[in-house]
Amino acid sequence: MDSPSTGSSPSSILPAGTTTIQATHQVVPSCPNHETLDPNKAGESSEIFCGLCLERQETDKTFTVESCKHSFCSGCINRHVSSKIKEGKHIVSCPGLEDCKSVIELEACSSILPKSIAEKWNESLFEALMKEQQWKMCPKCTSYVEKTRGCLRITCRCDFQFCYWCGEEWTEDHRVSCQKDEGDQEEED
């Protein structure tokens, strides 16, 4: 049998009586990680394609990041948020496209998170706020206090007096013994 030449058409190499089908090459764009499948077009129920687990999920089992509208299955968001909180993060970014800068809010997804993760996230958000606002905790009753003006001597609502800088109990000679830089003390007074 002769081998076909490179210039011959496909129909010249096929046995007589074979049906040929003309095919065209078409580029199909990759599916974004938050594709919503339209039930009116596809004849299916409303689903999303989760870019994290690569599975289709019913929309009632999904979570949408409000600020960017990326959607994922609830299980993947649960695992994503849980891993970030366990890593010690208090700001959880959208797991969508690499350049997505949206943030997932605790209030938006707390219903799909385990209670322990939601509580830990809430605590880490509060600690970040406390640090940002420079609030201090009373060493006696553990209430949080904010210094808005005046000296470093704080009187808590429990009547305990402590140094706002170092947290030690305030005594008459504390100003001298506090480890805070003297220049900073003068600015505070």
Side-chain angles (χ1 to χ4, degrees):
M1 177 175 199
D2 295 325
S3 60
S5 66
T6 43
S8 61
S9 71
S11 59
S12 64
I13 4 179
L14 296 173
T18 304
T19 306
T20 60
I21 301 172
Q22 184 90 23
T24 60
H25 177 71
Q26 182 180 13
V27 177
V28 178
S30 64
C31 181
N33 63 358
H34 61 278
E35 175 187 20
T36 300
L37 304 172
D38 187 345
N40 298 325
K41 292 181 181 175
E44 304 174 22
S45 62
S46 184
E47 297 179 323
I48 64 125
F49 178 78
C50 177
L52 296 177
C53 67
L54 305 177
E55 293 182 10
R56 292 180 181 192
Q57 296 287 333
E58 295 289 325
T59 54
D60 64 340
K61 296 178 183 174
T62 63
F63 175 83
T64 301
V65 180
E66 288 304 315
S67 54
C68 63
K69 302 301 182 201
H70 289 147
S71 296
F72 306 94
C73 69
S74 297
C76 284
I77 286 295
N78 184 336
R79 286 184 291 280
H80 173 71
V81 169
S82 295
S83 70
K84 297 300 178 191
I85 299 307
K86 288 176 183 175
E87 290 173 10
K89 300 191 187 305
H90 65 277
I91 297 175
V92 180
S93 300
C94 171
L97 305 171
E98 288 181 25
D99 59 346
C100 184
K101 304 292 185 217
S102 294
V103 173
I104 298 173
E105 301 292 335
L106 169 62
E107 297 79 23
C109 67
S110 61
S111 65
I112 63 171
L113 296 175
K115 185 177 179 181
S116 61
I117 294 295
E119 287 173 354
K120 188 173 181 177
W121 191 3
N122 191 44
E123 288 171 16
S124 68
L125 286 169
F126 182 74
E127 287 172 11
L129 177 64
M130 192 177 84
K131 188 174 184 177
E132 177 185 307
Q133 298 295 322
Q134 299 180 349
W135 297 341
K136 304 289 181 173
M137 186 175 11
C138 172
K140 185 174 181 184
C141 72
T142 67
S143 293
Y144 291 95
V145 296
E146 177 182 20
K147 178 182 169 320
T148 57
R149 65 181 192 279
C151 69
L152 294 174
R153 181 183 199 169
I154 298 294
T155 302
C156 181
R157 63 182 173 194
C158 70
D159 289 327
F160 184 75
Q161 292 185 355
F162 67 98
C163 176
Y164 197 77
W165 175 255
C166 69
E168 296 293 320
E169 182 175 6
W170 191 270
T171 60
E172 291 305 318
D173 62 339
H174 183 80
R175 180 181 170 106
V176 177
S177 64
C178 184
Q179 299 298 313
K180 185 170 170 138
D181 181 60
E182 288 178 20
D184 289 341
Q185 278 187 353
E186 290 172 12
E187 290 173 16
E188 295 287 338
D189 290 338

